[in-house]
Amino acid sequence: AQSVTQPDIHITVSEGASLELRCNYSYGATPYLFWYVQSPGQGLQLLLKYFSGDTLVQGIKGFEAEFKRSQSSFNLRKPSVHWSDAAEYFCAVGARGGGSQGNLIFGKGTKLSVKP
Amino acid sequence: SAVISQKPSRDICQRGTSLTIQCQVDSQVTMMFWYRQQPGQSLTLIATANQGSEATYESGFVIDKFPISRPNLTFSTLTVSNMSPEDSSIYLCSVGGLAGGFTDTQYFGPGTRLTVL
């Protein structure tokens, strides 16, 4: 069955430190991969997505993610975290050509706290 | 991306009543979806809102409980019927296929935070 695992429920990093949020997926083929961020009381904002091509994708707000097929992973990284990055981060997978069915499967999310 | 708005942004309702949530997009989109995010949980797809026809519901969700309308390419409503405290959640609208384009990226509205007493 299709699934997304975000192993870390809550991560705390110091401002200026680097960040890596983990995401592993289980899917029958190469899926579309997404990272969304949800600030408190807000909806979800798309950070970045991977469809094909270069396995290192750049997103907004200085985030990047790397697709590793051999590890079924799509980890999110940022070299230097800002206090405004404190939020909840969701990894999601979607079926290729599956837009007509929605088919976005979300992980349970990782809450990021940033220490001054 | 599109500008997506939802009304109301939050509401507190009594058990047994119904609430209709509106989702408005500032441009025509191919696909519109409704998700539920229960407290402390991830997002679960409720249904795909199809323009001019009945919505397509995911397993565990039924039309009698969550009737959906989509009268045109920019607007949809979700009704939460006969509410119970278990319906307390954030309900999010998402859209895909901006200007009739690629449908596999979804953009989300700000959500409606519902509390049922």
Side-chain angles (χ1 to χ4, degrees):
Chain A
Q2 303 159 14
S3 65
V4 177
T5 302
Q6 293 180 247
D8 304 305
I9 296 173
H10 190 184
I11 285 181
T12 300
V13 300
S14 297
E15 190 167 16
S18 63
L19 171 70
E20 181 169 28
L21 301 182
R22 296 182 290 165
C23 173
N24 293 96
Y25 66 89
S26 173
Y27 202 79
T30 302
Y32 293 138
L33 295 159
F34 306 86
W35 275 99
Y36 289 88
V37 60
Q38 185 177 35
S39 298
Q42 303 296 313
L44 272 70
Q45 182 181 22
L46 180 67
L47 281 176
L48 48 76
K49 60 189 178 186
Y50 171 77
F51 286 168
S52 65
D54 193 345
T55 56
L56 183 64
V57 294
Q58 303 297 320
I60 62 172
K61 305 185 179 186
F63 285 93
E64 67 178 26
E66 186 171 12
F67 169 59
K68 293 186 177 180
R69 183 192 305 273
S70 61
Q71 299 177 17
S72 297
S73 69
F74 188 56
N75 294 348
L76 182 71
R77 301 193 293 249
K78 186 170 184 177
S80 178
V81 169
H82 188 263
W83 64 266
S84 61
D85 293 324
E88 187 142 24
Y89 292 80
F90 291 95
C91 180
V93 299
R96 289 180 177 272
S100 62
Q101 295 296 322
N103 283 356
L104 268 190
I105 299 169
F106 283 85
K108 292 186 180 297
T110 298
K111 183 176 180 180
L112 173 65
S113 297
V114 180
K115 291 190 300 186
Chain B
S1 64
V3 176
I4 307 164
S5 60
Q6 285 186 232
K7 291 182 181 179
S9 58
R10 59 177 61 226
D11 207 341
I12 301 174
C13 300
Q14 296 298 317
R15 180 195 300 261
T17 62
S18 298
L19 176 71
T20 295
I21 303 168
Q22 299 179 2
C23 178
Q24 179 75 55
V25 193
D26 68 344
S27 60
Q28 293 186 345
V29 295
T30 306
M31 311 299 301
M32 296 183 80
F33 308 95
W34 287 98
Y35 287 80
R36 181 175 72 181
Q37 185 180 22
Q38 294 177 300
Q41 301 297 314
S42 188
L43 282 78
T44 302
L45 180 65
I46 297 172
T48 302
N50 300 310
Q51 194 232 342
S53 65
E54 195 170 284
T56 304
Y57 290 84
E58 297 299 305
S59 175
F61 297 97
V62 295
I63 187 171
D64 290 346
K65 177 66 176 177
F66 297 103
I68 287 171
S69 77
R70 188 174 173 197
N72 56 50
L73 293 176
T74 64
F75 185 79
S76 177
T77 66
L78 168 75
T79 299
V80 186
S81 303
N82 188 24
M83 288 184 285
S84 67
E86 292 69 36
D87 294 319
S88 297
S89 296
I90 300 173
Y91 291 87
L92 296 114
C93 166
S94 76
V95 305
L98 303 181
F102 201 47
T103 61
D104 294 281
T105 299
Q106 292 183 32
Y107 298 93
F108 285 80
T112 296
R113 184 178 296 270
L114 171 62
T115 302
V116 184
L117 303 177

